[in-house]
Amino acid sequence: MERILKHLRGEPVEFVRKILRAQADDWQRDALNTLAKSARLAIRSGHGVGKSCLQAWSVLWFLFTRPNARVVMTAPTIRQLYDILMAEISKWLKRSELLEELFEWQKTKVIFKAEPENYYAVARTAAKPENLQGFHAEHLLFILDEASGIGDDIFEAVEGALTGTDNKLLMCGNPTRNSGFFYRAFHEDRELYQTMKVSSAESGRVSDEYCKRLIKQYGEDSDVVRVRVLGEFPKSESDGVIPLELIEAAMMREPARQGELILGVDVARQGNDLTAVAVRLGDDCLAIKTWRHADLMTTTGRIIHLLTELMTKHKKSRAELRIDDDGLGAGVTDRLKEVIKERQIAAQVIACHNGGKSRDNRYSNFISEAMFALRERLEQKLLTLPRDENLAGELSTRRFTLNSADRIILEPKSQYKKRLGRSPDRADALALAFAPLRSRAVLPSFVAGSSYWR
Ligand SMILES: Nc1ncnc2c1ncn2[C@@H]1O[C@H](COP(=O)(O)OP(=O)(O)O)[C@@H](O)[C@H]1O
Ligand SMILES: [Mg+2]
């Protein structure tokens, strides 16, 4: 018996087949095998693909194959936790006489009959962090169902408990929002997790009719379809310029870290705005640097400092600075040119006018064209982005409309700020850094501080 248990510890698919007498779907098999090998697994998916079922199986497998195992389950709602997850556990526990002999299902927990105090699975609501605190064990598994809906404070309690070698975390859900730990698990915290995505459209468990109806009602690219069917995080904007999906993909690609060094600078206009600097190296944006509450001189000083630091770090003998020269940017541009000349830094300052003329007359101004050019690069996978949650948030919420002359115009910053209560400074700095300027072929030999582009 001991030997079988040890064997099944590494073979959850076999456990499901032999003990529960169930057949795992392909993705469930992958998920189980991954869970057996790793400490943290995050799965986002559409509706009805069998996530709760997978979690119930994982609970039973963990209990069955570890002595004094502890499993802690949580979900955003009582219904999700008891009526769905605990019910699913009950359903599968009943499939096995052996399991039923060893374990007893109760409404809020499953206990090992011979040692109920130390060996159990318990369901706790995600109402307050205390509910999930104080669990430590050699064999410990946390299950977070519909994880997008669970608060970060709850997650912190869970994460704090994951200290032992055989401590695991399995979290599943529809990716309903672009923030929180579940979102981060697929973005900036991605290196901490094994991740999976499962689409309802590909799952044999969800009717084609359900998927087709949703797509017909809302469109394939709508948030509801993304989240409920495709297992994609929401796009948030129907009239957005850049869908979140493209941004996500760019953040997952590896940067090549070669090419020209270009900084795109969006200078803060008001108290709460940020000055944002997008650091571009060839086809990569390596970072977005930001700061607040700085006067013109301080801002200039910081840009120069950043510039020289980056030139040294990336061994570049020259660089380019692109600054939105409208409004306060103008003062910064002038001062930068002076300093660059004084200090003989081989950098060219290019004053851009976000509100000024575009090259292509389908766009009403420079920044509108630049933002669409950025989208095109993302579509063609010609750009990598840093894993910056704020950048993703800002980029995916930039909207456009058509003006009276039928030209594409990006929602003015002032309007964006009214709508979302923040300024899309990072997004605009990035657009500047990658804006298609006039062909480089006509550039005369390098002149420091040239105003050639004006
Ligand atoms: N491999 C499987 N074999 C048998 N039944 C399954 C399997 N996967 C899922 N189910 C069942 O399908 C139904 C829907 O699955 P569920 O886990 O609730 O989906 P989700 O949580 O992704 O919305 C449940 O009744 C579940 O027991
Ligand atoms: Mg479920």
Side-chain angles (χ1 to χ4, degrees), residues 37-213:
K37 288 194 211 97
S38 17
R40 296 175 176 213
L41 173 59
I43 303 171
R44 60 184 161 112
S45 86
H47 174 72
V49 302
K51 293 185 294 297
S52 297
C53 174
L54 171 88
Q55 290 179 308
W57 289 351
S58 304
V59 171
L60 295 174
W61 162 71
F62 201 86
L63 284 180
F64 187 69
T65 57
R66 274 107 169 139
N68 290 321
R70 277 180 211 178
V71 181
V72 184
M73 300 169 272
T74 194
T77 61
I78 292 191
R79 182 185 158 271
Q80 186 70 40
L81 187 59
Y82 300 121
D83 301 350
I84 299 176
L85 191 56
M86 283 306 289
E88 195 71 21
I89 290 174
S90 167
K91 167 178 161 176
W92 292 106
L93 187 66
K94 285 186 194 141
R95 296 285 282 260
S96 159
E97 272 178 27
L98 177 57
L99 280 180
E100 275 202 308
E101 214 172 280
L102 298 169
F103 299 96
E104 181 182 320
W105 186 92
Q106 298 174 353
K107 203 173 172 296
T108 62
K109 59 186 172 193
V110 177
I111 53 165
F112 184 65
K113 289 177 187 169
E115 186 150 10
E117 303 300 333
N118 297 315
Y119 191 171
Y120 55 78
V122 62
R124 292 281 177 90
T125 60
K128 48 183 197 290
E130 298 88 275
N131 291 358
L132 299 161
Q133 268 157 4
F135 291 98
H136 291 281
E138 191 189 342
H139 306 291
L140 180 64
L141 170 66
F142 274 98
I143 299 273
L144 275 53
D145 204 0
E146 290 308 337
S148 250
I150 298 173
D152 275 6
D153 51 344
I154 302 294
F155 179 71
E156 276 162 28
V158 170
E159 196 168 42
L162 294 169
T163 49
T165 45
D166 191 37
N167 288 183
K168 291 179 186 287
L169 168 62
L170 169 60
M171 55 198 209
C172 299
N174 290 106
T176 56
R177 63 186 174 114
N178 294 330
S179 61
F181 67 89
F182 191 61
Y183 178 85
R184 290 198 300 273
F186 296 93
H187 297 84
E188 66 261 56
D189 291 342
R190 202 166 171 271
E191 51 276 304
L192 300 175
Y193 294 85
Q194 298 296 317
T195 60
M196 288 179 68
K197 183 184 84 169
V198 188
S199 159
S200 304
E202 289 157 14
S203 160
R205 296 205 170 268
V206 185
S207 79
D208 256 351
E209 197 245 304
Y210 167 81
C211 301
K212 283 194 182 126
R213 179 172 56 81

Side-chain angles (χ1 to χ4, degrees), residues 153-386:
D153 51 344
I154 302 294
F155 179 71
E156 276 162 28
V158 170
E159 196 168 42
L162 294 169
T163 49
T165 45
D166 191 37
N167 288 183
K168 291 179 186 287
L169 168 62
L170 169 60
M171 55 198 209
C172 299
N174 290 106
T176 56
R177 63 186 174 114
N178 294 330
S179 61
F181 67 89
F182 191 61
Y183 178 85
R184 290 198 300 273
F186 296 93
H187 297 84
E188 66 261 56
D189 291 342
R190 202 166 171 271
E191 51 276 304
L192 300 175
Y193 294 85
Q194 298 296 317
T195 60
M196 288 179 68
K197 183 184 84 169
V198 188
S199 159
S200 304
E202 289 157 14
S203 160
R205 296 205 170 268
V206 185
S207 79
D208 256 351
E209 197 245 304
Y210 167 81
C211 301
K212 283 194 182 126
R213 179 172 56 81
L214 271 188
I215 291 169
K216 184 155 174 261
Q217 279 177 333
Y218 301 103
E220 187 146 23
D221 213 25
S222 65
D223 281 347
V224 62
V225 169
R226 296 172 60 81
V227 175
R228 306 276 312 164
V229 178
L230 304 176
E232 296 287 359
F233 284 94
K235 213 176 54 167
S236 315
E237 305 295 318
S238 55
D239 42 6
V241 181
I242 303 177
L244 180 74
E245 201 182 340
L246 293 179
I247 298 163
E248 232 187 295
M251 289 183 176
M252 289 175 192
R253 285 192 291 270
E254 268 305 310
R257 295 176 193 282
Q258 57 193 29
E260 277 178 281
L261 177 64
I262 298 173
L263 304 190
V265 185
D266 188 85
V267 181
R269 273 155 187 74
Q270 278 162 27
N272 265 339
D273 296 5
L274 298 171
T275 289
V277 182
V279 180
R280 172 183 175 183
L281 203 62
D283 288 335
D284 306 316
C285 172
L286 297 181
I288 308 267
K289 305 281 181 189
T290 59
W291 59 86
R292 204 186 291 275
H293 299 310
D295 58 32
L296 204 130
M297 287 301 168
T298 316
T299 295
T300 310
R302 289 209 183 177
I303 294 170
I304 293 286
H305 181 76
L306 182 63
L307 174 72
T308 50
E309 200 180 66
L310 286 165
M311 286 174 79
T312 309
K313 181 176 174 192
H314 298 289
K315 302 189 176 69
K316 297 291 169 192
S317 57
R318 57 155 294 175
E320 187 177 298
L321 274 171
R322 300 171 173 188
I323 301 170
D324 173 20
D325 202 38
D326 291 345
L328 289 181
V332 174
T333 314
D334 291 344
R335 182 66 193 139
L336 273 173
K337 283 180 180 167
E338 283 171 20
V339 177
I340 279 172
K341 206 169 177 182
E342 274 164 29
R343 294 182 44 186
Q344 299 191 315
I345 300 167
Q348 182 179 26
V349 179
I350 298 176
C352 298
H353 298 276
N354 282 3
K357 269 186 84 169
S358 60
R359 298 184 313 167
D360 178 336
N361 65 11
R362 281 177 303 166
Y363 301 99
S364 73
N365 58 26
F366 176 84
I367 188 70
S368 304
E369 182 176 37
M371 201 60 80
F372 273 84
L374 192 65
R375 181 198 163 119
E376 201 169 308
R377 273 180 174 273
L378 286 164
E379 277 174 343
Q380 295 174 356
K381 303 190 168 62
L382 282 178
L383 167 63
T384 72
L385 293 176

